[in-house]
Amino acid sequence: MTDAKQDSAAFDVAVIGGGIAGVSAARAVADTHSVVILEQENELAHHSTSRSAAIFVENEGGPIFHRLATASRPFLETEHSELDAPLLDPLPVLKVGSEAERPVLQAEAEQAAQITSPVRLIDDGELYELAPMLNPEFVSIGVYEPTAASVDVMALHQLYLRRARNHGAQVRRSARVTALSRAPHGWTIETTDGTIGAAVVVNAAGAWGDVVGQLAGAKPLGLTPKRRTAFTSPVEADPTDWPFVYSQIADRTCYFKPEAGNQLLCSLSEENPTEPCDAKPEEIDVAQAIDNINHLTTLGLRSVNITWTGLRTFAPDRNPVFGWDDSVDGFLWLVGQGGCGIVSSAAAGDVAAALIREQSLPAALTQLGVTEQDLAPRR
Ligand SMILES: Cc1cc2nc3c(=O)[nH]c(=O)nc-3n(C[C@H](O)[C@H](O)[C@H](O)COP(=O)(O)OP(=O)(O)OC[C@H]3O[C@@H](n4cnc5c(N)ncnc54)[C@H](O)[C@@H]3O)c2cc1C
């Protein structure tokens, strides 16, 4: 080590990554364990967490994510005394398709309805009443989730962080973990801000999950970060009462979400594999999104205000990985949240805390049929 500080502080738990997953895990475990959050950037939530579409939707990402979102809902719906406004603001979600997508959307609605949320298939008059901007020539069916909501992601992140700190958790910014070595008593963690000791490491490094895993000597999970760009665009009509519309139409994928000030938050909903990085927008993805939205609607989008890109990181089976590594002691994976890391964050933190405390999974999850094996790294 050259100019880095020497710091022999020993913690029960070192969480690598200060995004939504890391701070939720810290919040959940800090009342019983000493915790340090290590973040490579000089601010927390710099990567995927601050770049989402901020939607709380249960029927998204398949049955496991659906159940994690359902289990997370009570935390997000609670009126937390630290906050001036609710975390959730009702915003129904409408996944739309053409007749070609009817069988897939029908199957999805039936599967979702078996879990919890009141998801249902709609078409004809009801569809165009809910989403008057849709072009009936191309869109004829939708899966409607009336209980979805817009979520205040930064308030949620701050809430988790505040709870963690209130229980004594420490935060080290600009502390990129560069080496991890395991001795019988625990980990020695080298960072760009000094060396730290911890009994347990939680890998909440998002797109860098496999990079951090390899530092610990764990076999890579095969995580793939995928770029997705979003942008805002002004519309003439007042979109306040519109749902979040998400096209599942092959070759015409896109989504748009009403925002304040007659703006829509839009995306092509693309998934472009990449290395872990500070992802930047590519003009072609924005242009294609505008073309698709204008094809499927009467909106006639013309201009773009703000554009950003984030990474959604998937395990090979697209399910989350929340569990102990099977060959490296004291190394807990909390990765693979794909496009559902915000909605699943409360449950993710609770799972991490339960595993660290050697308890069973939270009842909210087991009652929905989620097992440790469903979430385990080698399933
Ligand atoms: C356009 C877009 C729209 C989305 N919309 C939604 C949505 O509506 N709802 C939803 O639930 N999800 C959505 N998502 C997904 C969601 O944003 C992610 O699943 C979630 O933010 C992942 O959180 P995280 O904490 O795992 O990762 P991150 O927020 O990326 O945090 C990981 C952190 O680890 C740090 N790190 C990495 N390596 C190291 C190291 N070696 N040392 C120290 N620190 C390290 C990184 O700097 C980073 O801050 C969207 C994503 C995108 C891109």
Side-chain angles (χ1 to χ4, degrees):
M1 207 178 324
T2 51
D3 54 353
K5 279 187 292 186
Q6 286 287 349
D7 180 352
S8 58
F11 294 86
D12 295 327
V13 180
V15 178
I16 302 177
I20 199 93
V23 295
S24 179
R27 171 266 324 175
V29 77
D31 59 339
T32 52
H33 291 66
S34 60
V35 176
V36 63
I37 299 170
L38 303 170
E39 169 54 52
Q40 65 183 353
E41 305 292 348
N42 64 11
E43 58 178 0
L44 304 187
H46 176 79
H47 288 286
S48 303
T49 295
S50 58
R51 306 180 193 199
S52 85
I55 276 286
F56 180 87
V57 56
E58 289 174 72
N59 173 36
E60 180 56 29
I64 300 285
F65 272 118
H66 186 148
R67 291 176 169 96
L68 289 164
T70 300
S72 297
R73 183 184 267 280
F75 185 92
L76 277 93
E77 280 182 336
T78 300
E79 283 188 28
H80 298 283
S81 58
E82 301 96 321
L83 302 177
D84 328 327
L87 288 164
L88 297 184
D89 187 14
L91 178 62
V93 164
L94 187 56
K95 285 189 189 174
V96 298
S98 66
E99 279 313 301
E101 285 78 34
R102 183 177 283 272
V104 174
L105 290 179
Q106 191 154 7
E108 185 180 316
E110 282 164 12
Q111 185 186 55
Q114 279 170 14
I115 303 178
T116 45
S117 54
V119 173
R120 65 192 167 85
L121 207 66
I122 59 170
D123 50 15
D124 301 328
E126 192 179 7
L127 181 65
Y128 310 118
E129 205 173 300
L130 284 165
M133 80 300 288
L134 291 175
N135 185 340
E137 202 183 327
F138 304 111
V139 183
S140 55
I141 185 163
V143 174
Y144 183 53
E145 184 173 332
T147 51
S150 189
V151 54
D152 187 338
V153 177
M154 294 326 286
L156 178 63
H157 184 275
Q158 282 301 310
L159 178 65
Y160 290 145
L161 185 61
R162 194 162 162 179
R163 294 265 169 101
R165 282 188 151 140
N166 285 347
H167 287 294
Q170 295 185 25
V171 178
R172 306 277 171 98
R173 295 182 174 80
S174 303
R176 183 163 57 86
V177 173
T178 54
L180 288 164
S181 51
R182 175 91 193 161
H185 60 279
W187 291 96
T188 300
I189 305 165
E190 284 182 35
T191 81
T192 47
D193 187 43
T195 302
I196 283 170
V200 163
V201 164
V202 176
N203 177 5
W208 290 264
D210 267 342
V211 177
V212 167
Q214 279 173 299
L215 291 179
K219 198 170 146 224
L221 299 178
L223 297 171
T224 308
K226 297 189 173 180
R227 299 172 58 253
R228 177 168 289 184
T229 292
F231 57 95
T232 57
S233 180
V235 276
E236 278 170 25
D238 177 4
T240 311
D241 295 327
W242 295 352
F244 178 106
V245 175
Y246 190 171
S247 163
Q248 311 284 294
I249 297 174
D251 301 327
R252 288 291 182 189
T253 62
C254 57
Y255 62 66
F256 51 91
K257 173 194 183 192
E259 298 266 282
N262 281 27
Q263 299 282 317
L264 293 182
L265 184 163
C266 309
S267 174
L268 179 60
S269 68
E270 78 279 16
E271 293 193 349
N272 297 333
T274 180
E275 293 300 308
C277 63
D278 195 353
K280 303 285 183 234
E282 286 183 15
E283 273 177 30
I284 189 163
D285 296 328
V286 175
Q288 187 64 57
I290 291 177
D291 192 53
N292 287 0
I293 292 171
N294 286 344
H295 181 81
L296 299 177
T297 70
T298 53
L299 289 169
L301 301 186
R302 283 192 301 275
S303 60
V304 170
N305 287 338
I306 309 165
T307 310
W308 67 94
T309 299
L311 300 180
R312 301 155 76 250
T313 298
F314 295 89
D317 65 1
R318 295 178 75 92
N319 281 324
V321 183
F322 303 160
W324 294 111
D325 191 84
D326 56 357
S327 58
V328 178
D329 277 352
F331 189 76
L332 187 75
W333 296 87
L334 201 64
V335 295
Q337 290 90 338
C340 300
I342 311 299
V343 301
S344 60
S345 61
D350 292 344
V351 168
L355 293 173
I356 291 167
R357 294 188 185 118
E358 299 183 6
Q359 295 170 344
S360 351
L361 289 192
L365 281 174
T366 54
Q367 282 161 6
L368 291 167
V370 179
T371 66
E372 274 187 41
Q373 191 54 28
D374 290 331
L375 305 172
R378 320 281 167 208
R379 43 203 174 214

